């Protein structure tokens, strides 16, 4: 038995809830008796107190290993799929990893440095699980350049928002997310499914949207989350027509009114919420009134253990849900002296509501005047013919930089209307933005790249 | 359409968007007197780069920025295609 004060995932996997599964495109695994089976090729007792890298090819095996290792290992480092071995090596040293759980062959050079444990579908019966510690959960930040940072969470903190909302409301829910569960946004949904007593349908890299949605339908998905970019892609695909979830959640990017309205039209029977969360700051809050931004009274008070303030324009959060620290020898402090995490997300008070305007690092400087690409996109996205847009910086010999915009129009927009639409977008921008924020050039494009983390790619901006 | 007339037509469009009253476009008109501020000029250079495929002011590091409309037009005409 586990000590009463340790909170471990397997405590939510009792036999009393039947018909629970977790599935990807190829396999479905029952969660009902999962704790009596092992997916590891060695006895889990050998992993007790170890610092484990979880590097599986797909999400399903990572999910099963998280269940098996939480409360047993000293720490688990979740490895997203797009990390190459060279960069990973540096992170392994920083995280003091001594054990690798993987279903893939490792490069020769690493042989002998780590204990390597294989992982497969849970066909071996196991007994004698011993939950005897609060495992540290290490995750990588989703920054776009350089080496990601490692942040340390506890399961307690990761699940803070889930437990806080009460888990009973999610019984029998089947969750899905466009995210990978080895990233913060995806992990939240995996934990919601597990802790709330539900099931989960995982995303599959390379799968077409139509095939994914077909799987969401046959899997009976009721609750689903993704970034606004994920959702815009789904709305664009036309595949949403046969899908009717009860709950649609957005997080990870600014949810503007256009995408909220688009989802409300596509899923009239669903409740739609947008959440603010980040790998470092944890889950801050969620908003369910269908409007962009968030009520100003969320700032400055302690609500469900989350305190928020705005300093120099950026949102700062203090709560038990934030990461505990950055990991590594020269890791910078994660929070200030008072325990507030600076999210780097810039907000602006308009009337009774705060609106997100962009990232501190993403500012475009036009001859000394500043603009966040996101505040331009929000205005462009209001045009009825616009499906998705990206504002970016373009170098200028006159002002150093100017704002330009790449725009995807809704399917079937007549080419002859392009010039009219361009003029309408420009005049809309002029009405809502100061003059230097109005895009100098609007280009209509067929596609915009979305990063592995589900966010609009801004690397070439 | 000649390079010069493409430039003039782009200028007229931007003037309309920026609510700028353009004076008659003559070669010796100082750029300062066009009513275009630096932002409007930056927009003009960006759009001309898309239309003509060149930005003569970024191509050469030491390119001096023209002071009259005629010099501005010649900067485009003189860039080898």
């Amino acid at each position: 038995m586990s000590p009463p004060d340790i909170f471990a995932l397997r405590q939510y996997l009792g036999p009393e809830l039947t018909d629970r599964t977790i599935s990807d495109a190829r396999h479905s695994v029952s969660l009902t008796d999962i704790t009596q089976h092992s997916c590891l090729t060695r006895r889990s007792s050998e992993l007790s107190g170890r610092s484990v890298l979880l590097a599986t090819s797909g999400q399903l095996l990572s999910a099963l290993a998280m269940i098996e290792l939480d409360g047993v290992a000293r720490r688990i480092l979740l490895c997203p799929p797009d990390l190459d071995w060279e960069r990973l090596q540096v992170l392994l040293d920083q995280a003091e990893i001594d054990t690798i759980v993987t279903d893939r062959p490792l490069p020769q050079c690493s042989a002998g440095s780590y204990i390597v444990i294989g992982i497969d579908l849970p066909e071996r019966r196991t007994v004698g699980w011993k939950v005897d510690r609060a495992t540290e959960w290490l995750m990588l930040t989703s920054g776009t350049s350089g080496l990601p940072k490692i942040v340390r969470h506890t399961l307690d903190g990761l699940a803070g928002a889930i437990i806080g909302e009460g888990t009973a409301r999610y019984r029998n829910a089947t969750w899905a997310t466009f995210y990978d569960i080895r990233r913060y946004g995806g992990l939240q949904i995996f934990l919601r499914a597990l802790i709330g007593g539900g099931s989960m349908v995982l995303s599959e890299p390379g799968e077409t949207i139509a095939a994914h949605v077909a799987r969401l339908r046959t899997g009976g998905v009721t609750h689903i989350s993704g970034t606004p970019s994920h959702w815009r892609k789904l709305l664009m695909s036309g595949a949403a027509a046969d899908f009717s979830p009860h709950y649609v959640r957005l997080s990870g990017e600014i949810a503007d009114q256009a995408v909220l309205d688009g989802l409300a039209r596509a899923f009239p029977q669903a409740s739609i919420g947008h959440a603010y969360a980040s790998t470092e700051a944890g889950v801050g809050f969620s908003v369910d009134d269908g409007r962009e931004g968030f009520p100003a009274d969320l700032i400055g008070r302690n609500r469900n253990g989350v305190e928020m303030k705005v300093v120099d324009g950026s949102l700062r959060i203090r709560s038990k849900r934030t990461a505990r620290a950055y990991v590594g020898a020269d890791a910078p402090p994660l929070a200030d002296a008072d325990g507030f995490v600076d999210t780097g997300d810039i907000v602006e008070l308009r009337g009774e509501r705060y609106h997100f305007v962009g990232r501190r690092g993403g500012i475009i400087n036009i001859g000394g005047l500043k603009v966040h690409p996101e505040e331009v996109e929000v205005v462009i996205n209001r045009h009825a013919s616009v499906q998705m847009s990206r504002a970016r910086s373009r170098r200028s010999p006159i002002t150093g930089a100017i704002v330009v915009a790449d725009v995807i129009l809704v399917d079937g927009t007549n080419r002859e209307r392009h010039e009219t639409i361009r003029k309408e977008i420009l005049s809309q921008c002029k009405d809502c933005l100061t003059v230097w924020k109005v895009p100098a050039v609007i280009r209509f494009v067929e596609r915009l790249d979305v990063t592995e983390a589900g966010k609009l790619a801004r690397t070439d901006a | 359409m000649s390079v010069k007339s493409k430039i003039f037509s782009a200028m007229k469009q931007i003037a309309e968007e920026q609510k700028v009253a353009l004076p008659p476009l003559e070669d010796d008109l100082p750029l300062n007197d066009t009513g275009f501020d630096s932002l409007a000029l930056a927009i003009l250079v960006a759009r001309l780069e898309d239309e003509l495929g060149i930005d003569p002011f970024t191509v050469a590091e030491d390119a001096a920025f023209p002071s009259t409309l005629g010099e501005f037009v010649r900067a485009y005409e003189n860039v080898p295609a």
Side-chain angles (χ1 to χ4, degrees), chain A residues 370-389:
Chain A
K370 303 210 164 88
V371 54
H372 292 280
E374 294 92 337
E375 61 184 322
V376 181
E377 290 157 11
V378 163
V379 175
I380 297 174
N381 291 348
R382 284 183 205 150
H383 193 285
S385 297
V386 171
Q387 191 64 257
M388 190 167 173
S389 66

Side-chain angles (χ1 to χ4, degrees), chain A residues 14 43 241 321 415:
Chain A
R43 290 170 62 91
R321 306 174 192 171
R415 275 203 157 272

Side-chain angles (χ1 to χ4, degrees), chain A residues 147-332:
Chain A
L147 203 63
K149 289 208 224 25
I150 307 169
V151 297
R152 174 162 58 83
H153 276 277
T154 60
L155 183 64
D156 198 27
L158 287 169
I162 303 165
I163 310 274
E165 286 176 20
T167 54
R169 61 191 273 201
Y170 297 131
R171 280 276 150 94
N172 305 318
T174 296
W175 289 86
T177 171
F178 297 103
Y179 285 108
D180 190 293
I181 60 164
R182 292 162 288 188
R183 295 185 187 284
Y184 190 88
L187 185 65
Q188 279 297 311
I189 301 306
F190 171 62
L191 294 177
R192 272 170 195 268
L194 231 55
I195 293 170
S199 294
M200 177 147 196
V201 176
L202 297 165
S203 63
E204 194 77 32
E207 190 174 38
T208 64
I209 292 176
H212 189 190
V213 173
R215 214 152 53 71
L216 299 175
R217 282 208 327 267
T218 48
V221 167
T222 53
H223 293 56
I224 174 162
S225 94
T227 61
S229 289
H230 286 137
W231 285 115
R232 287 189 191 101
K233 289 210 160 201
L234 178 75
L235 292 175
M236 263 187 276
S237 72
D242 308 321
F243 180 44
S244 52
H246 305 321
Y247 178 62
V248 164
R249 184 179 175 97
L250 305 89
S251 66
E253 289 179 304
I254 299 171
D256 61 32
Q257 198 59 48
V259 73
L260 291 170
D261 291 348
L263 287 169
R265 280 192 300 271
F267 306 117
Q269 71 297 351
S271 72
I272 294 164
H274 56 103
Y276 179 82
S278 79
T279 312
E280 282 104 325
V283 178
F285 57 87
S286 62
V287 178
D288 298 318
D289 60 10
R291 293 166 59 202
E292 64 181 18
F294 60 93
D297 66 2
L298 293 186
I299 295 288
R301 66 189 176 116
N302 190 327
R303 184 174 153 277
N304 302 327
V306 179
E307 287 171 83
M308 302 199 295
K309 61 179 180 179
V310 178
V311 181
D312 296 334
S314 83
L315 183 66
R316 322 270 168 127
I317 296 182
R318 176 166 71 183
S319 82
K320 288 209 169 71
R321 306 174 192 171
T322 67
R324 301 293 95 200
Y326 287 121
V327 173
D330 304 314

